[in-house]
């Protein structure tokens, strides 16, 4: 077995599809054993397992809704049972409601916080206890953490909180030999991005945003996965408490602009 991650064990939440799946395969190609976490799509999880095992790596799939503390406990208990420890924890699972602030209900706020912020913090607590020889924690953020745009307040504020937690964790977990970092993605070619731009009523056309990005295109899940992999790799040993932007220059500007929206999103 060879590669930067040979002999390491990685747990990635929400890794049956999208960026999480791409990262799982990327780490497996370089030697890591993988815990694939998913909520409902068992078929997608099994497909990921087949690919990982086809590379000669160990892999297990664990169905767990990380919105629930009890499910998080069960997920990490399974990791301990199967592998006895953990080297990498990547908090990737995310979801939210895309509405104007005045339209958000209490349950929208609660569920978004529970899945994005609380799941990361509780997961990191459990992960550190399993990292007997040190390790790495990474979390996926997005440019809504630093820029305001239509319907993203609920998720963007949670992503900003996550990045703050990264800084605090980096300080407190350093004595355990654990580095903690975030990757802040821009417009990445995933199902989630497609939903945001094509299913939210009144959202600005994605082409109006792409034309403003310095790189002039969407990013790929592989490009994000490679950034996360770097933060997990030995080369990043002296990097902790940081948020790495992978956005083609998008964070320099702030689309989608409200001036480009149509009703019911246009401001009066």
């Amino acid at each position: 077995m060879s590669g930067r991650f040979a002999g390491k064990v990685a747990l990635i939440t929400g890794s049956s599809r999208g960026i999480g799946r791409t990262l799982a395969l990327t780490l497996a190609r370089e030697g890591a054993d993988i815990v694939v976490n998913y909520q409902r799509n068992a078929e997608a999880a099994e497909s990921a397992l087949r690919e990982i095992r086809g590379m000669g790596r160990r892999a297990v799939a664990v169905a767990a809704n990380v919105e629930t503390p009890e499910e998080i406990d069960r997920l990490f208990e399974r990791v301990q049972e199967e592998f006895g420890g953990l080297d990498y924890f990547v908090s990737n699972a995310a979801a939210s409601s895309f509405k104007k602030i005045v339209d958000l209900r209490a349950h929208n706020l609660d569920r978004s916080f529970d899945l994005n912020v609380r799941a990361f913090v509780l997961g990191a607590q459990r992960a550190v206890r399993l990292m007997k020889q040190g390790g790495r924690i990474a979390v996926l953020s997005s440019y809504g953490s630093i820029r305001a745009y239509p319907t993203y307040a609920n998720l963007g504020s949670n992503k900003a909180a996550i990045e703050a937690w990264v800084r605090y964790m980096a300080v407190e977990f350093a004595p355990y030999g654990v580095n903690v970092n975030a990757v802040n993605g821009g417009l990445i070619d995933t199902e989630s991005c497609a939903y945001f731009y094509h299913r939210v009523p009144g959202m600005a056309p994605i082409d109006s945003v792409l034309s403003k990005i310095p790189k002039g295109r969407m990013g790929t899940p592989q490009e994000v996965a490679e950034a996360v992999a770097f933060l997990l790799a030995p080369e990043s040993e002296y990097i902790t408490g940081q948020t790495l932007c992978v956005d083609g220059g998008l964070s320099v500007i702030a689309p989608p602009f409200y001036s480009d929206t149509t009703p019911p999103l246009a401001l009066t």
Side-chain angles (χ1 to χ4, degrees), residues 2-6 8-12 20-34 52 55 57 88 90 222 225 228-230 232-233:
S2 62
R4 289 184 296 174
F5 309 118
K8 303 296 186 180
V9 177
L11 164 60
I12 306 160
R21 179 190 180 113
T22 302
L23 176 61
L25 297 176
T26 298
L27 299 182
R29 276 192 292 270
E30 295 201 52
D33 296 327
I34 307 295
I52 294 166
M55 301 175 196
R57 308 282 89 85
Y88 310 133
V90 181
Q222 188 63 52
V228 177
F230 165 71
L232 302 180

Side-chain angles (χ1 to χ4, degrees), residues 4 6 9 20 29 49-50 58 78-79 82 84 92 97 102 114 121 137 154 167 185 189 210 220-221 223 225 235 260:
R4 289 184 296 174
V9 177
R29 276 192 292 270
L49 287 187
R50 286 193 295 272
R58 290 180 62 194
R78 182 71 184 281
V79 173
E82 292 286 342
N92 168 72
S97 50
V102 295
D114 292 350
V121 177
I137 294 174
N154 196 13
R167 294 188 287 273
D189 192 5
L210 293 177
T220 69
E223 288 171 321
E235 295 88 342
D260 292 336

Side-chain angles (χ1 to χ4, degrees), residues 16 21 36-50 61-63:
S16 64
R21 179 190 180 113
V36 174
N37 162 248
Y38 68 101
Q39 183 176 350
R40 288 185 297 267
N41 197 335
E43 184 177 347
E46 286 299 321
S47 173
L49 287 187
R50 286 193 295 272
V62 184

Side-chain angles (χ1 to χ4, degrees), residues 176-199:
Y176 301 107
V178 176
N179 291 3
V180 187
N181 293 288
V183 169
N184 183 315
L187 267 71
I188 309 301
D189 192 5
T190 62
E191 292 178 11
S192 297
C193 190
Y195 178 91
F196 184 78
Y197 280 96
H198 299 297
R199 299 287 296 278

Side-chain angles (χ1 to χ4, degrees), residues 13 28 85 127 154 162 179 217 225 233 236 263:
T13 63
N154 196 13
I162 283 168
N179 291 3
R217 63 172 177 84
S236 68

Side-chain angles (χ1 to χ4, degrees), residues 49-212:
L49 287 187
R50 286 193 295 272
E51 286 199 54
I52 294 166
R53 289 169 178 166
M55 301 175 196
R57 308 282 89 85
R58 290 180 62 194
V60 297
V62 184
N65 179 3
V66 295
E67 187 178 334
T68 306
E70 294 76 15
E71 296 275 297
I72 294 173
D73 288 340
R74 187 169 59 79
L75 172 61
F76 281 90
E77 287 165 5
R78 182 71 184 281
V79 173
Q80 187 167 21
E81 290 170 5
E82 292 286 342
F83 297 99
L86 186 66
D87 299 288
Y88 310 133
F89 169 54
V90 181
S91 184
N92 168 72
S96 191
S97 50
F98 301 116
K99 299 179 180 181
K100 289 181 178 179
I101 295 171
V102 295
D103 296 325
L104 289 169
R105 297 178 180 272
H107 76 272
N108 298 135
L109 301 175
D110 291 343
R111 293 197 65 188
S112 187
F113 178 86
D114 292 350
L115 180 56
N116 294 282
V117 182
R118 189 175 70 181
F120 171 50
V121 177
L122 295 181
Q125 290 176 334
R126 293 298 304 264
V128 167
R129 297 187 185 111
L130 294 179
M131 293 176 174
K132 305 301 184 183
Q133 306 299 321
R136 301 280 198 274
I137 294 174
V139 61
L140 275 296
S141 184
S142 71
Y143 80 105
S145 68
I146 53 177
R147 296 289 184 269
Y149 52 89
T151 76
Y152 212 79
N154 196 13
L155 184 54
S157 60
N158 283 311
K159 294 298 189 181
I162 283 168
E163 293 177 13
W165 276 102
V166 163
R167 294 188 287 273
Y168 280 96
M169 288 180 187
V171 174
E172 293 196 20
F173 293 170
Y176 301 107
V178 176
N179 291 3
V180 187
N181 293 288
V183 169
N184 183 315
L187 267 71
I188 309 301
D189 192 5
T190 62
E191 292 178 11
S192 297
C193 190
Y195 178 91
F196 184 78
Y197 280 96
H198 299 297
R199 299 287 296 278
V200 176
M203 182 52 62
I206 193 168
D207 288 345
S208 71
V209 181
L210 293 177
S211 64
K212 299 179 179 70

